[in-house]
Amino acid sequence: MRLRRRVIQASLVVVGLSLLAAPATAQSVNRAAIDDLNEQLLYVALPLTLFVELTLVYVIYRFRNNDDPQPTVDDPALEVTWTAATGAILVFVGVSAFVVMANPYITPAAAQAADGDDAFADDTEIDVLAYQWGWEFSYAEANVTTEERLVLPADRNVTFRLQTTDVIHAIYIPQLGVKQDIFPGRTMTARTRATDPGEYRLYCAEMCGAGHSKMDATVVVKNQSAYDAWLENRTATAG
């Protein structure tokens, strides 16, 4: 009885902590979609985990002195029930993941192919060039190029056109939920809309050679007026 009480108390503590540990506000629509999916899966996985573990502990305790175990008896109703429950859970996980993957910010190439080449015509376009071992960012609308520093407008859709000069690289901005492999000879697409001005880190997420660990950059998200002022200043300096 004491063991059962302790197991129940520990389970309640775990559930309480998981509910109180609310995730921080997402810094982009990409990250918000990913966090929502993780939260949905957590609410499914946590009760299942607790149920399985509690059942295991109960069975170990209940039959700890059973020196003459008997074979289990077929129970078609129980077998159908757990099979149907498992199927329902898998359908839920699959549908939830599909909805997120169909998000035009998570899989922009598929969305653009479905909606046509002008699907992101109103986006701010930034050309991203990856090379061993650095990053170059070109803002076509202002004829501005930066290295190791990516500046984005807040609350505005941004499309990245990604290319590499040598091997496979991957742009990865964890706090914005952006990640896309970049293959030689191809132009890849990534998309985001940052919602929280601030500084973030950008990494290469593919092992690309001896300097891979140093292939990072700073991402700066500015409000629209500050972004426009920065772009004008860079344009005047370049001119």
Side-chain angles (χ1 to χ4, degrees):
M1 183 64 68
R2 183 178 300 175
L3 175 61
R4 185 184 304 176
R5 188 182 301 113
R6 289 180 179 177
V7 170
I8 294 175
Q9 291 174 348
S11 302
L12 292 176
V13 170
V14 171
V15 173
L17 290 176
S18 65
L19 295 177
L20 291 175
T25 304
Q27 290 86 8
S28 73
V29 293
N30 310 56
R31 189 57 192 250
I34 295 171
D35 288 348
D36 287 345
L37 175 61
N38 289 338
E39 188 174 351
Q40 292 176 22
L41 298 183
L42 175 65
Y43 287 140
V44 173
L46 184 59
L48 287 176
T49 301
L50 291 176
F51 172 75
V52 171
E53 294 303 322
L54 289 175
T55 301
L56 179 62
V57 171
Y58 170 76
V59 169
I60 292 174
Y61 177 78
R62 173 68 175 79
F63 299 102
R64 67 190 185 283
N65 295 322
N66 187 359
D67 297 327
D68 185 25
Q70 300 297 317
T72 58
V73 179
D74 289 340
D75 190 338
L78 180 60
E79 294 172 4
V80 170
T81 299
W82 76 47
T83 301
T86 302
I89 293 170
L90 292 177
V91 169
F92 172 79
V93 171
V95 171
S96 300
F98 176 80
V99 170
V100 173
M101 292 302 296
N103 188 311
Y105 295 96
I106 303 298
T107 313
Q112 195 168 29
D115 297 337
D117 293 338
D118 60 344
F120 306 148
D122 296 330
D123 290 13
T124 296
E125 287 197 8
I126 299 176
D127 295 323
V128 179
L129 185 64
Y131 58 89
Q132 292 177 310
W133 289 276
W135 300 92
E136 182 179 282
F137 309 103
S138 299
Y139 306 76
E141 60 179 315
N143 194 28
V144 169
T145 299
T146 61
E147 292 186 356
E148 321 305 336
R149 187 176 179 85
L150 172 62
V151 181
L152 304 177
D155 298 313
R156 185 172 175 181
N157 292 332
V158 177
T159 296
F160 302 109
R161 303 299 180 190
L162 309 162
Q163 292 182 318
T164 172
T165 62
D166 35 58
V167 299
I168 298 176
H169 298 282
I171 186 172
Y172 180 40
I173 312 174
Q175 291 172 293
L176 299 185
V178 175
K179 187 177 186 296
Q180 176 61 56
D181 288 346
I182 313 171
F183 301 98
R186 297 174 58 184
T187 298
M188 311 302 295
T189 303
R191 194 173 186 237
T192 190
R193 186 171 79 231
T195 56
D196 190 6
E199 286 196 7
Y200 309 100
R201 297 301 297 168
L202 180 154
Y203 305 93
C204 176
E206 288 287 351
M207 185 63 183
C208 56
H212 167 71
S213 62
K214 299 179 181 179
M215 190 173 170
D216 57 5
T218 300
V219 179
V220 181
V221 178
K222 299 176 177 287
N223 60 48
Q224 189 64 54
S225 59
Y227 174 79
D228 291 338
W230 173 83
L231 212 56
E232 283 185 22
N233 182 59
R234 295 287 302 194
T235 303
T237 303

